[in-house]
Amino acid sequence: MPLVSTRQLLDEAAKGGYGVGAFNVNDMEQIQAIMSAAKETNSPVIIQASRGAREFAQDNYLYHLMLAAAELYPEIPLAMHLDHGNSFETCESAIKLGFTSVMMDGSLKTDGKTPATFEENVEVTRKVVDYAHERGISVEGEIGVLGGIEDGHGAGGSGLDHVTDPDQAVEFAERTGVDSLAIAIGTSHGAYKFTKKPDGSVLKMDLLIAIHKRLPNTHLVMHGSSSVPKDLQDIVNQYGGKLKETWGVPVEEIQLGIKNGVRKINVDTDNRLAITGAIRKVLWETPEKFDPRDYMKPARAAMQKVVALRMTQFGQAGHAGDYKAISIPDMAKGYKNGTLITKPLVAAK
Ligand code: G3H
Ligand code: 13P
Ligand code: ZN
C-alpha cells in the first residue's frame, strides 16, 4: 500500500473501536521491527519521526526507508507522521518531503520548551491545518502540555503542571479543525513518569473521559504512553544499566482510554528500553563480539516483540485488511468538499 493518511487510519480505528500505536523511529532497524510486528499481527500502523529523528537520520534516508517499508508490505496500511512539530516551517518541510500527517505541537513555543498561550497555539495550528488539508495531509494538535523532556523537547516538570482544560479542548478543536487532538492528562515523555503505579491522582483518566464526553467524535491522542515495564527495566539493569525505579502508563489505563475516544497512542520509550536491554545483554555476555549485526539483530527482535504486544493490546491487530488506501490527492478533495469533517461534534456540558 502507498503511504496513507493518519486521518484514514484513525477514522477506521474509530469505526472498529480500537486504537493505533504510533511508534517512533530513528533508523532502519526500528522501521523493520515495526513492519515485522505489523505483518505478524496483521495491523495498520503509524510510524513517526521527531525533529530529533529527522536530524539524526536525515530526511531523505528516513523517507526512502519508509517508501521501502510501504513497498515491502503492500498489505499494511502505513502512515508516516511528524511527531511534535514545533513550527509551521517544520510541518511544511515534513509535508514537502512526503509525510502523510504532521503534529503541530503549538502547546509550546518554537523553542520546544516554553508553554505557548492558547491564542498562539490556535493561530499556528490553524495555519498548519489550512496548508496541510489543501494537500490531503492530516494534522494532530495538542492542547495542554505534557511533562518531561525528550531530546530537548518539552516543558520539563511534572505531567500535572498543565493538564488539558475540557472547555479549551472544545474551543481549540472548533477553531483549528484538527484531525486529532493530543491531550495532557498527567503523563510525560521518557522513562520517569510516575514514582509508583499511577492512580487517578496523577493519571487523570477522569479528565480524558470528560473531554471525550464533550468531543465524542474527536480522535484523541495519548502521548507519553510507554508502560515502562519492569521486565524491560530489569534487563537493562541486569547487564550494567543504571535505571532508577519508575512506573509508566499501565496498559489497562490505555485500554480504558481507547474505550473513551483514544485512537492514537504514542510509544517510544518502551522500544528504547527493549533495544538497549538486548544490546547490553549481548555485549555483557559476549564481550569478544564486535560485529554490529550480533547485537542489532536481537535488538530489532526485542523491539518487534514489544510492538507486536502493544498492537494486540491496543486492538489494531487483525485490522490491516479492513480497508483500501484513499490516495492523498483524494484526501485533499475530501477536505475541500466537506466529506472529511473537520468541525467537531460538541456535546453540551
Ligand atoms: O516526543 C518524544 C519522542 O519520544 C521522541 O523523542 O525527540 O528524543 O526523538 P526524541
Ligand atoms: P514515551 O516516552 O512514553 O514512549 O512517549 C512517546 C511520545 O509521546 C512520542 O510523542
Ligand atoms: Zn509525544
Side-chain angles (χ1 to χ4, degrees), residues 2-41:
L3 295 174
V4 300
S5 124
T6 296
R7 169 70 186 261
Q8 187 189 7
L9 262 67
L10 301 188
D11 284 351
E12 290 291 339
K15 279 189 226 158
Y18 58 89
V20 183
F23 303 99
N24 289 77
V25 298
N26 298 276
D27 59 31
M28 179 184 74
E29 288 81 359
Q30 289 179 309
I31 295 175
Q32 290 173 327
I34 295 167
M35 294 314 294
S36 300
K39 186 175 174 65
E40 182 190 330
T41 59

Side-chain angles (χ1 to χ4, degrees), residues 20-297:
V20 183
F23 303 99
N24 289 77
V25 298
N26 298 276
D27 59 31
M28 179 184 74
E29 288 81 359
Q30 289 179 309
I31 295 175
Q32 290 173 327
I34 295 167
M35 294 314 294
S36 300
K39 186 175 174 65
E40 182 190 330
T41 59
N42 193 31
S43 298
V45 67
I46 300 165
I47 293 187
Q48 58 188 10
S50 66
R51 279 189 294 141
R54 288 175 67 186
E55 195 187 317
F56 174 80
Q58 294 181 267
D59 273 357
N60 287 7
Y61 283 115
L62 256 188
Y63 180 58
H64 287 274
L65 286 169
M66 291 297 297
L67 289 184
E71 201 175 300
L72 287 168
Y73 298 89
E75 71 284 15
I76 302 289
L78 166 62
M80 181 178 181
H81 178 74
L82 169 71
D83 193 25
H84 292 287
N86 65 324
S87 65
F88 174 81
E89 290 72 23
T90 302
C91 294
E92 182 188 37
S93 68
I95 292 169
K96 284 187 174 153
L97 180 68
F99 279 74
T100 55
S101 61
V102 293
M103 175 186 193
M104 177 59 234
D105 181 358
S107 71
L108 299 172
K109 291 182 188 279
T110 47
D111 67 3
K113 289 181 177 60
T114 317
T117 65
F118 179 72
E119 287 303 325
E120 285 167 340
N121 191 356
V122 168
E123 191 185 326
V124 69
T125 306
R126 177 78 240 177
K127 189 173 169 194
V128 171
V129 167
D130 288 342
Y131 179 84
H133 284 183
E134 213 181 304
R135 291 159 179 80
I137 303 302
S138 43
V139 180
E140 172 183 333
E142 176 164 326
I143 184 75
V145 183
L146 260 80
I149 301 176
E150 287 291 293
D151 210 14
H153 183 99
S158 146
L160 292 174
D161 288 350
H162 305 275
V163 293
T164 305
D165 171 71
D167 288 332
Q168 278 200 345
V170 169
E171 189 183 339
F172 184 80
E174 284 182 314
R175 287 177 60 190
T176 59
V178 287
D179 300 278
S180 61
L181 186 61
I183 55 171
I185 54 165
T187 66
S188 39
H189 291 120
Y192 300 104
K193 300 181 197 301
F194 304 110
T195 52
K196 58 183 171 56
K197 187 171 181 204
D199 58 20
S201 66
V202 287
L203 179 59
K204 301 278 181 197
M205 296 308 293
D206 53 344
L207 184 56
L208 184 149
I209 292 168
I211 295 166
H212 175 56
K213 283 212 173 102
R214 299 287 311 282
L215 292 168
N217 289 353
T218 297
H219 303 316
L220 301 180
V221 182
M222 273 177 81
H223 281 247
S225 292
S226 278
S227 301
V228 198
K230 178 126 181 18
D231 58 334
L232 293 182
Q233 296 178 41
D234 286 348
I235 295 174
V236 172
N237 286 340
Q238 189 182 341
Y239 298 104
K242 282 202 166 56
L243 295 171
K244 287 172 280 176
E245 198 175 34
T246 179
W247 275 262
V249 182
V251 168
E252 61 271 20
E253 302 291 359
I254 297 172
Q255 289 168 334
L256 174 66
I258 293 168
K259 288 199 181 88
N260 287 282
V262 170
R263 297 293 158 235
K264 176 171 177 281
I265 305 110
N266 284 16
V267 174
D268 187 356
T269 297
D270 284 351
N271 292 323
R272 292 177 173 188
L273 291 172
I275 289 169
T276 300
I279 293 175
R280 279 190 172 281
K281 183 170 190 292
V282 173
L283 296 181
W284 184 274
E285 287 180 341
T286 47
E288 70 282 5
K289 291 204 161 152
F290 59 90
D291 180 341
R293 290 170 296 191
D294 288 336
Y295 51 83
M296 289 313 296
K297 269 195 213 168

